[in-house]
Amino acid sequence: ITNWSTSVVIPAGGFYLLANSGYDDIAPADRSFTSGLAAAGGGIAIFNGTTKIDSVGFGNAIVATGFRKSLL
């Protein structure tokens, strides 16, 4: 969805809002993207180089534990 060419630090307990370019709400997005996300399910991961730092799944996605979200 997006790449950073500079360091971005998200402090513990902090937030970083990634939003589609059509997003229009009270909290401004920290970064926007133009591609869509699958309505049935998918996921987003944060990498430092090739090392996955964190990830989240939604809908019918398989999350890092290997179980569907609905089973957690």
Side-chain angles (χ1 to χ4, degrees):
I1 291 177
T2 190
N3 291 301
W4 288 265
S5 59
T6 59
S7 294
V8 174
V9 177
I10 304 170
F15 298 90
Y16 194 89
L17 180 58
L18 293 173
N20 186 276
S21 58
Y23 171 81
D24 182 24
D25 209 329
I26 194 166
D30 295 299
R31 186 81 170 206
S32 64
F33 57 92
T34 56
S35 61
L37 298 174
I44 295 176
I46 299 172
F47 286 87
N48 182 3
T50 59
T51 303
K52 186 182 341 182
I53 305 299
D54 202 357
S55 64
V56 63
F58 58 91
N60 292 325
I62 302 296
V63 293
T65 60
F67 295 102
R68 291 199 181 277
K69 179 183 170 202
S70 61
L71 299 177
L72 297 178

